[in-house]
């Protein structure tokens, strides 16, 4: 299964959690709308266009409409596999990992500009995807681009969340990613797609490259893992 604009808007992630029986508290519609309104200063239509910073799957599958995208650098945060996922890229018995922005360092990614008139509808799609539970915290950040600095919404890891994985080493994270698979596909494919698209954009990430090398080596040694990744 792949996430699309329509499937996200139709609540596929919420249903996935409800049907699984996993003890994950879903964000309610009222909470989601209140969170978006708070970020927009209490106005459904902001006075100017809104930027959203993508650092993982938003780069290669944004699923929301945007008017412009720019490469940019966010200081004070770094990209890391630090959020356990027992569903999308894993199972309750064999949870996977997905990316989050954790404190420290810097992160190169993509800033997407959403037109003010479309902000409410498009951000609702982003929130349905990123804020389905309590794994992330949306916050305003400053992203430096070649065309100047922009104020952008970034979804940073919630260190208070039960699913926060902390700072796993490359071998520890690779061991999880190499074997985990869920309804959205394998963790390995999530990693490989992210690395591939970052490199296509000219954004090297040494840590993710190291993870990729470990995961590729592990899957080559495990016929079962390789077969799961090919499905």
């Amino acid at each position: 299964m792949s996430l699309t604009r329509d499937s996200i808007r139709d609540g596929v992630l919420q249903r996935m959690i409800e049907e699984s029986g996993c003890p994950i508290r879903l964000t309610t519609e009222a909470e989601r709308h209140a969170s978006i309104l708070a970020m927009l200063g209490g106005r459904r239509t902001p006075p100017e266009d809104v930027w959203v910073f993508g650092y993982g799957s938003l780069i290669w599958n944004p699923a929301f409409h945007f008017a412009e995208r720019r490469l940019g650098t966010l200081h004070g945060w770094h990209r890391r596999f630090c959020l356990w996922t027992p569903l999308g890229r894993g199972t309750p018995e064999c949870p996977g990992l997905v990316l989050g922005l954790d404190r420290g360092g810097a992160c190169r990614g993509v800033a997407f500009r959403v037109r003010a008139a479309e902000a409410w509808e498009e951000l609702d799609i982003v929130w349905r995807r990123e804020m389905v539970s309590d794994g992330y915290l949306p916050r305003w950040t400053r992203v430096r681009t070649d065309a100047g600095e922009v104020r952008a919404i970034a979804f940073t890891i919630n260190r208070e969340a039960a699913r926060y994985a902390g700072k796993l080493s490359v071998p520890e994270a690779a061991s999880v990613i190499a074997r985990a698979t869920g309804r959205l596909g394998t963790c390995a494919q999530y990693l490989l797609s992210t690395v591939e698209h970052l490199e296509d954009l000219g954004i090297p990430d040494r840590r993710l490259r190291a993870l990729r090398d470990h995961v590729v080596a592990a899957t080559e040694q495990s016929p079962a893992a390789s077969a799961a990744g090919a499905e």
Side-chain angles (χ1 to χ4, degrees):
M1 177 195 300
S2 61
L3 289 178
T4 66
R5 177 183 179 85
D6 288 340
S7 68
I8 294 169
R9 188 163 47 189
D10 290 343
V12 64
L13 295 175
Q14 289 83 353
R15 288 196 302 275
M16 189 185 302
I17 294 173
E18 290 171 344
E19 293 168 1
S20 73
C22 285
I24 297 175
R25 182 187 177 278
L26 287 168
T27 301
T28 67
E29 181 178 18
E31 290 170 336
R32 185 176 73 250
H33 288 171
S35 177
I36 300 171
L37 275 176
M39 295 299 288
L40 296 181
R43 289 174 285 193
R44 290 174 66 103
T45 303
E48 57 187 21
D49 293 351
V50 177
W51 291 84
V52 176
F53 183 71
Y55 54 88
S57 61
L58 282 181
I59 292 176
W60 44 271
N61 181 25
F64 62 93
H65 293 160
F66 56 91
E68 178 188 359
R69 73 173 190 172
R70 299 180 192 171
L71 299 185
T73 302
L74 173 60
H75 289 280
W77 302 88
H78 67 281
R79 181 173 27 236
R80 176 183 288 272
F81 277 87
C82 58
L83 183 66
W84 294 109
T85 173
L87 294 172
R89 300 282 176 175
T91 64
E93 298 75 25
C94 184
L97 288 165
V98 290
L99 288 165
L101 281 176
D102 212 347
R103 289 192 175 276
C107 179
R108 289 277 287 165
V110 175
F112 298 92
R113 179 171 62 84
V114 178
R115 292 186 177 91
E118 301 170 355
W120 181 260
E121 180 179 0
E122 300 310 315
L123 291 181
D124 187 60
I125 292 172
V126 177
W127 251 253
R128 284 178 178 272
R129 173 180 179 163
E130 304 298 325
M131 297 296 295
V132 67
S133 63
D134 65 348
Y136 299 110
L137 296 173
R139 67 177 70 233
W140 285 106
T141 63
R142 294 287 180 179
V143 177
R144 294 181 181 177
T145 78
D146 288 342
E149 187 177 81
V150 299
R151 185 169 176 256
I153 297 170
F155 293 90
T156 61
I157 196 68
N158 178 8
R159 287 188 169 187
E160 301 301 316
R163 293 187 294 128
Y164 175 55
K167 295 186 176 181
L168 300 175
S169 68
V170 167
E172 287 172 332
S175 175
V176 172
I177 294 168
R179 67 178 188 273
T181 184
R183 290 180 61 179
L184 296 180
T186 68
C187 253
Q189 189 55 54
Y190 173 86
L191 166 64
L192 295 175
S193 292
T194 302
V195 172
E196 177 184 351
H197 284 82
L198 287 175
E199 293 186 345
D200 286 347
L201 292 169
I203 303 176
D205 188 308
R206 287 181 295 178
R207 183 178 179 84
L208 291 196
R209 282 179 176 175
L211 269 174
R212 176 195 60 190
D213 293 345
H214 275 74
V215 168
V216 169
T219 53
E220 286 177 348
Q221 295 170 9
S222 171
S226 298
E231 291 178 354

